Amino acid sequence: MKTDSIVIPQNKIDTTSSLLVDAHSLRALDLTIFTRSEYNFSNLINSPDALYNSGNYSSWDNMLALANTIQNMVLYDTIIVDSLLLQADTGVRAACELFPNVIKGVYLDYNLRQRIGERVYTVTPMWDSLKQPSSISDEHWSKINMVEQNVKPLMDEMTHVVPDLVPTDYTNDRLLEFRCKIAEQDPLMHQNLPDCCVNSSATLARTHYYLELAKELAVPLSTHPIRSSYFEILVGKYKESLRRGEPESLVNYFEKKVLKEPVDVAEIPISLDLTIPPIAELVLNYADRNDCEISDAVMEIRQSKHAIKFRDWCKNYVALTSKGRSATKEKIALFEEFKKVCETWKNDVKEEVDYKTRKINLESIPVVGGILKALNMNEVTVKDPVLHPQEKFTYFLLLNDLYRDPTKSLA
């Protein structure tokens, strides 16, 4: 039995600021060891689908996974992954070591994976797990299967791993130490993953396993963006209760209000490619502008005052969910505050950040005031400089940074 500070027990998970991811997401972080000169930022930010259409599937797949994971690392305090992956996948281990204070392996209780598998098959029968959902196109289904093709071999490998990498909290756990010794003598006695994970190449059952694991840990789940529609099918078809990742939901709402709605109203020929998540684009632009590696850019944005402030607000917002009905009105009030900020910045992202707009009525000036009113010139708009934004705006300055000139961003 080996202890490791990168591994934490279930009871140490902060459910208000943690996110569960899969191996595929963390493998992509290997790309962050590339220097800026070796990495094609323009492909990632501007035309990721061009890579797929050109047949460069591997780069396209990695880029989407990388962008999604970069955003998650800024939006959440902790990214968690099944600790068994630290033993079975060198890419996951490398990602954890690259960001040891951000990515943690979570040690799952003995036989928990098998119990989750039993729950999966109560709602996702084996005979229904190989079908292509009718709402997913053939092209998208092909992309899903491409992403999935490496998942089953990894899970096959995980079934033969002795889960003896444990949190430091369990250093003196004699029962756990005994179980690890028994598993070492006969690994087949300890099947780590249920049949739903290893019996087929791409199934609803295996996908449902991730949903059940996220429910067990009481945290939101994020996987490769291409697989997200697959999860939506499960949530809809089986009435699955999945805790949504509220920080990214807030980011998506902000982007819709501040970017998409004004473009739609303007009725001008602007093409919006929103393939790359907004926070990831902010990080990549920062890396390009400062000529630094992606890993450095991730940490500098993540540790910025704006990002910390936004995560703190999100944690308070998410925490209200666990308080049930009694906190519903308080949560609604917080969201209404967020909506007002969105409306303000939809018109001008500099408002309440660089300046505060106010109108001065000149009508009361003797003689001149009457003339100005007659000419409809009695109101003057003044933009007073803002030295310190109001507190309700400071929580969302990270989002404001998304739509400012990158060279003048406050992040």
Side-chain angles (χ1 to χ4, degrees):
M1 187 172 77
K2 302 177 289 291
T3 60
D4 195 322
S5 60
I6 293 180
V7 182
I8 60 173
Q10 278 185 249
N11 61 8
K12 290 293 180 68
I13 297 174
D14 184 346
T15 57
T16 66
S17 60
S18 298
L19 177 76
L20 176 67
V21 300
D22 57 3
H24 197 88
S25 299
L26 296 188
R27 281 175 179 163
L29 288 177
D30 279 347
L31 294 177
T32 60
I33 66 176
F34 292 178
T35 61
R36 193 190 69 81
S37 61
E38 296 171 320
Y39 198 82
N40 193 330
F41 285 85
S42 61
N43 279 345
L44 182 51
I45 297 174
N46 300 320
S47 55
D49 278 344
L51 284 174
Y52 181 85
N53 295 331
S54 69
N56 194 347
Y57 303 131
S58 179
S59 293
W60 166 84
D61 181 19
N62 283 334
M63 284 183 175
L64 290 187
L66 173 62
N68 196 51
T69 304
I70 285 174
Q71 171 155 303
N72 289 334
M73 292 179 66
V74 174
L75 293 181
Y76 292 87
D77 282 347
T78 308
I79 304 297
I80 59 176
V81 66
D82 187 339
S83 64
L84 202 59
L85 286 167
L86 295 175
Q87 299 178 252
D89 191 288
T90 56
V92 172
R93 182 78 202 190
C96 290
E97 291 176 349
L98 187 62
F99 300 102
N101 296 320
V102 182
I103 305 171
K104 297 289 185 181
V106 58
Y107 184 81
L108 302 181
D109 292 341
Y110 192 72
N111 282 336
L112 174 61
R113 298 178 188 86
Q114 291 293 333
R115 295 198 299 273
I116 290 177
E118 292 172 4
R119 294 206 299 267
V120 167
Y121 278 132
T122 63
V123 292
T124 314
M126 176 65 76
W127 57 84
D128 195 34
S129 64
L130 290 168
K131 298 177 182 178
Q132 175 182 338
S134 58
S135 58
I136 294 181
S137 68
D138 290 343
E139 180 183 5
H140 197 86
W141 185 247
S142 175
K143 289 182 178 181
I144 289 174
N145 280 293
M146 187 196 71
V147 172
E148 288 275 342
Q149 66 184 356
N150 294 322
V151 176
K152 183 181 181 297
L154 172 60
M155 289 189 163
D156 287 341
E157 178 69 23
M158 290 171 68
T159 61
H160 302 297
V161 172
V162 175
D164 58 358
L165 186 67
V166 303
T168 54
D169 306 54
Y170 296 169
T171 301
N172 298 315
D173 191 322
R174 300 307 176 195
L175 176 58
L176 182 58
E177 187 174 4
F178 174 74
R179 284 173 172 167
C180 288
K181 287 181 178 180
I182 294 296
E184 287 174 0
Q185 294 171 7
D186 188 356
L188 293 179
M189 290 182 62
H190 191 98
Q191 290 294 323
N192 299 322
L193 294 179
D195 290 344
C196 63
C197 292
V198 296
N199 272 359
S200 54
S201 59
T203 70
L204 281 171
R206 186 172 63 245
T207 304
H208 201 112
Y209 171 83
Y210 287 105
L211 295 176
E212 288 290 343
L213 179 57
K215 281 179 61 180
E216 182 72 31
L217 301 178
V219 296
L221 169 69
S222 177
T223 60
H224 193 289
I226 293 301
R227 298 178 70 195
S228 61
S229 59
Y230 205 21
F231 281 86
E232 292 299 326
I233 294 296
L234 274 175
V235 171
K237 183 173 183 179
Y238 299 107
K239 310 300 181 185
E240 182 67 26
S241 176
L242 173 66
R243 178 170 166 181
R244 302 285 181 174
E246 298 200 68
E248 60 264 36
S249 295
L250 292 167
V251 172
N252 291 339
Y253 180 90
F254 182 85
E255 183 163 63
K256 176 184 176 182
K257 288 292 181 182
V258 177
L259 178 63
K260 294 185 68 176
E261 284 190 3
V263 168
D264 292 341
V265 170
E267 295 184 347
I268 55 179
I270 295 178
S271 177
L272 293 178
D273 183 354
L274 305 180
T275 306
I276 299 303
I279 302 295
E281 183 174 314
L282 178 69
V283 171
L284 294 169
N285 280 328
Y286 181 92
D288 196 23
R289 188 170 70 250
N290 292 280
D291 196 22
C292 65
E293 296 183 12
I294 302 176
S295 55
D296 294 331
V298 169
M299 293 308 297
E300 289 184 31
I301 295 293
R302 173 185 165 84
Q303 294 170 350
S304 68
K305 291 181 180 180
H306 293 180
I308 292 173
K309 195 84 171 177
F310 182 67
R311 288 200 301 273
D312 286 344
W313 190 91
C314 288
K315 282 192 287 187
N316 292 332
Y317 184 74
V318 172
L320 292 174
T321 302
S322 63
K323 296 181 180 179
R325 292 178 175 83
S326 62
T328 300
K329 287 191 174 182
E330 187 178 350
K331 189 169 185 178
I332 291 174
L334 278 180
F335 186 72
E336 287 300 317
E337 183 178 86
F338 173 65
K339 284 176 60 178
K340 290 178 181 178
V341 171
C342 291
E343 288 299 320
T344 298
W345 288 340
K346 179 170 71 173
N347 299 318
D348 186 352
V349 294
K350 295 182 180 180
E351 185 68 35
E352 297 287 353
V353 180
D354 293 341
Y355 47 71
K356 181 178 177 64
T357 303
R358 62 188 179 94
K359 291 185 177 181
I360 300 177
N361 195 321
L362 305 178
E363 183 179 344
S364 59
I365 300 177
V367 183
V368 177
I371 298 174
L372 293 173
K373 182 178 181 182
L375 297 173
N376 290 323
M377 299 172 59
N378 56 306
E379 284 190 346
V380 177
T381 299
V382 177
K383 295 183 177 180
D384 295 328
V386 171
L387 299 179
H388 302 287
Q390 297 179 47
E391 186 175 27
K392 68 178 181 179
F393 288 95
T394 62
Y395 291 117
F396 309 111
L397 289 176
L398 174 68
L399 305 182
N400 187 274
D401 288 337
L402 299 175
Y403 300 104
R404 299 174 68 89
D405 181 341
T407 62
K408 299 177 181 178
S409 171
L410 300 181

